[in-house]
Amino acid sequence: MDLNKNLEKYADLIVRIGLNLHAGDNLTIRLSEHSLPLARLVAKKAYQAGVGDIQLMFNDDSITLDRFLEAPAESFETYPEYLVDFTEKLFLDNHHVLSIVAPNPDLLKPADPARIAQWQKVAGMASKRTMKYTMQNKVKWCVVAVACPAWAEAAFPGMLEEEAMQKLWENIFLATRIDQDDPIAAWEEHDSRLKAHRKFLNEARFDRVHYKGPGTDLMVGLVKNHIWEGGCSFSEAGDRFFPNIPTEEVFSMPDADRVDGILRATMPLSVRGQLVDDFHFTFKDGKVVDYDAAVGKQILDDLLKTDEGAKHLGEIALVADNSPISNTGVLFKSTLFDENASCHFALGAAYSENLEGATERSEEENRKLGMNDSVIHVDFMVGSKDVTVTGIKADGTEVVLLQDGEWKI
């Protein structure tokens, strides 16, 4: 594997397909020390594409952990207003966002969960007015990942670091189609396949979707005038972009008040620098009324207490088992990858692109139509070859959508 050659192809894919950068655009890159080699390549290609200004927002795992371990308690009670103002001014100045993540699934394991929950709630509430820029696609945004030792160790435990890093990079490039001779062409073909499923689902106008599998029997209502999306998205200005690289999902909006039954996760969840595993939720009238986890129940406790919307679903996503990510056989312990190997839901905020006319109405009006509102959006995986997903129309007509892990439409 030629790492440098693949990183060049990765950067090219991000600039041309992920964010579709061109003259008049500006760019904010969120990165860590592990992201710097890729960020430099992206920046060079972005300038060559006509981008005028690039701003860097840097974070460091060690400093982040030390803050939660050592900082005074009062520092977790308020969020700097100037940071919210600065972020919003960047968006208003036509800044688009690239997040280059290097996941460390257990980063905050030594930290006090109460501190983590407090900070997530404070930061979420303070950042709500900037959250709309990405949740409503007012700007182009893209999340990609790079390998780092902590992630490699989590994904390939017991392997020597150098070997684990190489194996992780190989799987990243496989999942993102960078391993192919022409990744751009491969993504165009992939987008066409996702759009075909999207077209079928939008024309079918299902009223609800039924999930059935080991430990799962869940009926999920869809909002009226829902829209299925998948593959590329479009910004408010009409620019095409891909929010996630990789992506294998076709997703829509559940009715926040019409979800009933029990739902068991099929993969661990990495959230807030900690892992939750072997967990399930029980829903009644759209709300989580019971839940448990063999590992990380306190994390779920804190997550669900964030706000009222945290107890309701904001996204439903269908993913076939036969995909580059799933075919690796790797449990990445990173939501960006694992959610694209499995059907999934998200607790919290819904995407406005999944409801016709959502951006033209107030939050209160959208909520009455079933669109969930929250300061969080947390995906968790529920799909497997043992889970059957069936679409049900208002007249009771049933269509099997996924069975044995494969599309049936």
Side-chain angles (χ1 to χ4, degrees):
M1 178 187 69
D2 188 334
L3 180 59
N4 291 331
K5 180 180 178 181
N6 282 335
L7 284 176
E8 281 278 355
K9 292 166 69 177
Y10 202 7
D12 195 49
L13 181 72
I14 291 166
V15 170
R16 293 174 58 188
I17 289 288
L19 286 168
N20 183 21
L21 295 170
H22 52 73
D25 285 342
N26 294 316
L27 177 64
T28 295
I29 304 178
R30 297 171 180 168
L31 74 161
S32 70
E33 70 273 25
H34 306 293
S35 316
L36 196 51
L38 179 60
R40 286 171 172 161
L41 292 172
V42 167
K44 182 176 181 179
K45 292 177 183 294
Y47 284 132
Q48 290 170 344
V51 167
D53 179 47
I54 297 178
Q55 294 292 323
L56 304 179
M57 292 189 174
F58 184 81
N59 68 80
D60 175 79
D61 281 355
S62 180
I63 293 173
T64 297
L65 177 59
D66 283 342
R67 176 172 183 250
F68 281 99
L69 294 177
E70 309 293 347
E74 57 269 23
S75 70
F76 296 94
E77 295 173 1
T78 57
Y79 190 88
E81 186 72 16
Y82 68 85
L83 287 180
V84 181
D85 292 339
F86 177 65
T87 300
E88 184 163 40
K89 287 184 182 300
L90 289 175
F91 286 140
L92 293 173
D93 196 33
N94 205 34
H95 266 254
H96 307 281
V97 184
L98 172 65
S99 298
I100 308 178
V101 300
N104 182 344
D106 286 317
L107 173 64
L108 299 183
K109 190 175 182 179
D112 180 359
R115 279 196 166 196
I116 300 169
Q118 168 71 12
W119 179 244
Q120 291 291 330
K121 187 170 184 176
V122 167
M125 292 299 293
S127 304
K128 190 170 183 181
R129 67 179 160 101
T130 58
M131 190 176 176
K132 66 183 179 184
Y133 287 91
T134 52
M135 293 299 291
Q136 297 181 13
N137 291 344
K138 291 179 177 294
V139 299
K140 295 178 287 188
W141 56 282
C142 184
V143 184
V144 303
V146 295
C148 68
W151 186 19
E153 182 182 355
F156 305 104
M159 198 176 285
L160 293 175
E161 182 178 304
E162 184 177 352
E163 183 182 356
M165 282 286 288
Q166 179 168 336
K167 193 169 182 64
L168 181 54
W169 271 122
E170 288 173 352
N171 281 281
I172 290 172
F173 294 140
L174 179 68
T176 56
R177 296 174 168 80
I178 296 299
D179 65 316
Q180 300 190 28
D181 292 337
D182 188 346
I184 302 292
W187 270 81
E188 295 291 2
E189 182 182 346
H190 175 50
D191 189 40
S192 295
R193 287 194 297 269
L194 290 174
K195 289 294 189 288
H197 295 312
R198 170 186 178 271
K199 183 174 184 291
F200 176 91
L201 291 164
N202 280 328
E203 290 177 351
R205 306 313 304 163
F206 292 113
D207 173 69
R208 54 200 185 278
V209 180
H210 186 207
Y211 285 71
K212 183 76 173 176
T216 289
D217 188 355
L218 189 76
M219 190 67 74
V220 183
L222 300 173
V223 293
K224 187 179 180 181
N225 297 325
H226 63 272
I227 301 170
W228 289 90
E229 293 288 358
C232 71
S233 295
F234 289 88
S235 71
E236 191 173 67
D239 273 1
R240 181 178 185 243
F241 71 101
F242 284 82
N244 289 342
I245 295 179
T247 184
E248 302 289 338
E249 65 180 334
V250 182
F251 63 98
S252 194
M253 187 184 296
D255 187 322
D257 303 310
R258 289 202 302 138
V259 181
D260 293 279
I262 190 166
L263 179 62
R264 177 166 290 278
T266 53
M267 294 183 184
L269 167 65
S270 177
V271 61
R272 297 178 172 176
Q274 299 169 299
L275 279 176
V276 185
D277 199 6
D278 189 13
F279 61 101
H280 68 268
F281 300 104
T282 299
F283 290 86
K284 182 174 175 54
D285 297 328
K287 185 176 181 178
V288 174
V289 294
D290 190 30
Y291 58 96
D292 201 2
V295 177
K297 185 173 186 294
Q298 181 62 50
I299 301 167
L300 292 184
D301 289 344
D302 296 333
L303 197 68
L304 293 166
K305 291 175 183 175
T306 305
D307 56 26
E308 181 58 31
K311 304 175 184 70
H312 298 259
L313 294 177
E315 179 188 352
I316 174 176
L318 303 179
V319 181
D321 189 64
N322 183 22
S323 71
I325 303 173
S326 182
N327 291 339
T328 65
V330 176
L331 178 61
F332 286 92
K333 297 181 182 176
S334 161
T335 300
L336 176 63
F337 282 74
D338 291 334
E339 75 169 4
N340 284 298
S342 168
C343 292
H344 56 274
F345 289 102
L347 291 166
Y351 291 109
S352 60
E353 64 187 309
N354 292 132
L355 177 60
E356 188 177 320
T359 57
E360 300 163 12
R361 293 186 293 266
S362 68
E363 289 181 0
E364 293 76 16
E365 290 172 323
N366 282 325
R367 183 62 187 84
K368 289 178 181 178
L369 296 174
M371 179 176 176
N372 197 31
D373 180 40
S374 175
V375 298
I376 70 164
H377 179 93
V378 177
D379 297 280
F380 61 98
M381 285 60 76
V382 300
S384 76
K385 289 185 176 181
D386 298 321
V387 176
T388 298
V389 184
T390 304
I392 305 173
K393 298 185 179 183
D395 65 4
T397 303
E398 297 189 3
V399 179
V400 175
L401 304 178
L402 286 163
Q403 191 171 49
D404 301 324
E406 301 305 321
W407 286 105
K408 296 299 178 184
I409 57 175

